[in-house]
Amino acid sequence: SFADRYGSVFGRQQGLMLKVAGLASSECSASGAWVEDSRGARWLDFGSFGVHLLGHRHPQVVAAVCEQIQQVGLSTKILSNEPIVRAAERLLKMAGSPMDNVIFANSGSEAVECALKLARIATGRRRILAFRHAYHGRTAGALSVSHGYVHHAELMTDGQATFVDVGDLPAVRDALASGQFAAAIIEPIQGEGGIRPVNLSFLEFLRTQTRLHGVRLVLDEIQTGLGRAGCLLCPVSADIRLLGKVLGGGIFPVAAALVDTRQFAAAARDPVVHASSFAASAIAGSVVNAVLDIVTAEDFLPQACRLGRLCREQIGSRLGGHPAIAEIRGDGLMLGIEFKTTSHAGDLVIEAAKRRLLLAFCLTAPSVIRMYPPATISEVDLLEGINRFCDSVNALPI
Ligand code: PMP
């Protein structure tokens, strides 16, 4: 089949898959959960790589950017700008004590780089504990702590990252007790590696052990954070929390490292340890402020959770036991549907595209399809998307 031929090689490049299948049409305009293509057809977008929790072009985020750009866009870097300072204060308030500094970046990967550097400087150690199926980005440092099914991760590790299984308590305990580790980095729910939730008690164990051995704990909440997985932040404490994706409101690239500077001393306040020409601009600040207005509004999280439950219940009851499906898992609006083969998942993306539903693979687990509807979607549109999804699964050649 098409997916047998292309699934494993090009599975992650689904734009190419759709093109080969004759289904490609370029994006033209987008609003909320809908994308209109260059032929005027309307697609439901449940396939974003986690950036569109607020849908496309959320009016409050668009307004914030338009207003800000009339005054200052990219900042001078010499004077501080009010929007980014306010954004930092609000992020710290959301994270609560002991976080007391924010370092902004242009992408999640860069925020990961920042965390790894700070941990190494603060501890004088090199090694990083990471987890099988982890994904932290594709810049060199972030890649070195990402477990890839391609060879890139091994190429970049240079012996400095150690991968263990989530839940393997003895391996974690032994590694952290070795005195060699600067940091442990973990996603509360592994995203690109296949939507794999991590047990809260394991995260707490990791927190206790890292503290015990002077290892810094980095929670990579770039994909799960700000409501995607049903809460704004993971309830387990950390030395650094990383945010990205939703932080940019689906419009502007911005990420952030929230830091407990007591754990990093001078390094966390040194303006040149992690810096970038574009980061921490006034536009980034105004976007973050608009995003925080939306996600901290009283009804946002309950609505996201309600829609997530509805999605899960519908898919579970209509597709549970389907011969092509191995497992349905996740939390909030971060659902993964694991197919028994990559070929089924590849065929599904094409079937869904025929029904104008955009779905995406997990980047390093191409047999897992993510269902990422925006939290701002109407119930009618959500049910329409679920119908398209179920019809697509039922059309798979079994
Ligand atoms: N960490 C996690 C958990 C991610 O899901 C991603 C992106 N998929 C990244 C880091 C990297 O973020 P970016 O693509 O913005 O560099």
Side-chain angles (χ1 to χ4, degrees), residues 49 51 106-110 112 135-139 142 187 189-192 220-224 242 244-245 255 363 370:
F49 282 78
V51 298
N106 306 301
S107 70
S109 303
E110 286 174 59
V112 170
Y135 183 98
H136 298 291
R138 283 299 181 253
T139 52
E187 303 153 82
I189 299 179
Q190 294 185 319
E192 304 303 336
D220 180 345
E221 307 192 54
I222 288 166
Q223 185 149 171
T224 53
L242 306 179
K245 295 201 188 262
L363 264 186
R370 72 236 293 190

Side-chain angles (χ1 to χ4, degrees), residues 36-69:
E36 189 172 316
D37 74 17
S38 51
R39 299 179 199 133
R42 296 182 78 233
W43 301 64
L44 259 176
D45 186 1
F46 286 11
S48 82
F49 282 78
V51 298
H52 287 301
L53 185 65
L54 310 183
H56 289 271
R57 296 193 311 108
H58 189 291
Q60 274 172 260
V61 187
V62 172
V65 173
C66 293
E67 208 174 293
Q68 182 58 47
I69 214 162

Side-chain angles (χ1 to χ4, degrees), residues 139-150:
T139 52
L143 183 60
S144 76
V145 290
S146 298
H147 177 245
Y149 78 103
V150 286

Side-chain angles (χ1 to χ4, degrees), residues 5-17 20 149 361:
R5 280 169 52 224
Y6 293 100
S8 58
V9 184
F10 294 121
R12 291 156 299 133
Q13 299 174 20
Q14 62 183 5
L16 179 63
M17 279 182 67
V20 174
Y149 78 103
F361 293 98

Side-chain angles (χ1 to χ4, degrees), residues 27-170:
E27 283 169 298
C28 214
S29 63
S31 174
W34 293 92
V35 174
E36 189 172 316
D37 74 17
S38 51
R39 299 179 199 133
R42 296 182 78 233
W43 301 64
L44 259 176
D45 186 1
F46 286 11
S48 82
F49 282 78
V51 298
H52 287 301
L53 185 65
L54 310 183
H56 289 271
R57 296 193 311 108
H58 189 291
Q60 274 172 260
V61 187
V62 172
V65 173
C66 293
E67 208 174 293
Q68 182 58 47
I69 214 162
Q70 304 300 324
Q71 297 166 20
V72 172
L74 291 180
S75 315
T76 65
K77 290 274 165 209
I78 298 163
L79 299 172
S80 114
N81 70 76
E82 192 275 331
I84 205 75
V85 171
R86 205 161 81 81
E89 283 166 358
R90 294 178 71 187
L91 285 170
L92 291 177
K93 190 163 169 231
M94 181 181 77
S97 172
M99 298 301 172
D100 60 355
N101 193 22
V102 181
I103 299 173
F104 286 98
N106 306 301
S107 70
S109 303
E110 286 174 59
V112 170
E113 299 290 334
C114 170
L116 300 182
K117 276 188 288 188
L118 288 181
R120 284 174 168 154
I121 294 168
T123 60
R125 305 172 184 165
R126 293 293 298 160
R127 301 190 71 85
I128 308 286
L129 189 72
F131 292 88
R132 233 173 292 291
H133 305 295
Y135 183 98
H136 298 291
R138 283 299 181 253
T139 52
L143 183 60
S144 76
V145 290
S146 298
H147 177 245
Y149 78 103
V150 286
H151 304 299
H152 304 143
E154 285 89 29
L155 272 179
M156 299 305 301
T157 53
D158 198 17
Q160 287 165 2
T162 297
F163 292 98
V164 301
D165 285 309
V166 168
D168 187 342
L169 307 193

Side-chain angles (χ1 to χ4, degrees), residues 97-371:
S97 172
M99 298 301 172
D100 60 355
N101 193 22
V102 181
I103 299 173
F104 286 98
N106 306 301
S107 70
S109 303
E110 286 174 59
V112 170
E113 299 290 334
C114 170
L116 300 182
K117 276 188 288 188
L118 288 181
R120 284 174 168 154
I121 294 168
T123 60
R125 305 172 184 165
R126 293 293 298 160
R127 301 190 71 85
I128 308 286
L129 189 72
F131 292 88
R132 233 173 292 291
H133 305 295
Y135 183 98
H136 298 291
R138 283 299 181 253
T139 52
L143 183 60
S144 76
V145 290
S146 298
H147 177 245
Y149 78 103
V150 286
H151 304 299
H152 304 143
E154 285 89 29
L155 272 179
M156 299 305 301
T157 53
D158 198 17
Q160 287 165 2
T162 297
F163 292 98
V164 301
D165 285 309
V166 168
D168 187 342
L169 307 193
V172 169
R173 194 182 291 120
D174 291 352
L176 295 180
S178 71
Q180 295 177 13
F181 284 80
I185 182 166
I186 190 162
E187 303 153 82
I189 299 179
Q190 294 185 319
E192 304 303 336
I195 320 295
R196 300 167 195 274
V198 176
N199 217 314
L200 211 53
S201 61
F202 178 72
L203 289 173
E204 276 156 3
F205 172 80
L206 191 60
R207 173 67 291 192
T208 312
Q209 293 296 312
T210 47
R211 253 199 202 121
L212 191 62
H213 298 293
V215 178
R216 306 305 184 259
L217 179 60
V218 184
L219 278 184
D220 180 345
E221 307 192 54
I222 288 166
Q223 185 149 171
T224 53
L226 300 175
R228 166 67 63 195
C231 47
L232 292 180
L233 291 172
C234 172
V236 173
S237 77
D239 300 310
I240 302 192
R241 293 177 188 278
L242 306 179
L243 292 172
K245 295 201 188 262
V246 177
L247 194 64
I251 287 189
F252 192 81
V254 51
L258 280 51
V259 187
D260 171 2
T261 53
R262 292 173 315 166
Q263 304 303 325
F264 300 91
R269 296 269 181 209
D270 181 340
V272 292
V273 164
H274 196 79
S276 155
S277 305
F278 292 133
S281 68
I283 297 186
S286 62
V287 165
V288 171
N289 284 319
V291 168
L292 291 176
D293 287 344
I294 298 163
V295 301
T296 59
E298 210 179 319
D299 52 347
F300 180 82
L301 273 182
Q303 172 73 351
C305 291
R306 200 179 64 75
L307 294 175
R309 273 194 307 276
L310 179 65
C311 195
R312 177 112 191 210
E313 281 160 15
Q314 286 279 322
I315 291 178
S317 68
R318 290 167 66 177
L319 295 174
H322 189 281
I325 293 180
E327 200 178 12
I328 301 166
R329 50 180 188 250
D331 217 339
L333 287 165
M334 185 169 178
L335 290 187
I337 295 98
E338 176 156 14
F339 285 82
K340 289 188 179 151
T341 65
T342 301
S343 156
H344 282 134
D347 287 339
L348 177 75
V349 169
I350 291 167
E351 285 300 331
K354 288 181 192 162
R355 291 165 179 78
R356 304 278 177 251
L357 172 66
L358 291 170
L359 293 174
F361 293 98
C362 292
L363 264 186
T364 54
S367 63
V368 184
I369 298 293
R370 72 236 293 190
M371 280 284 269

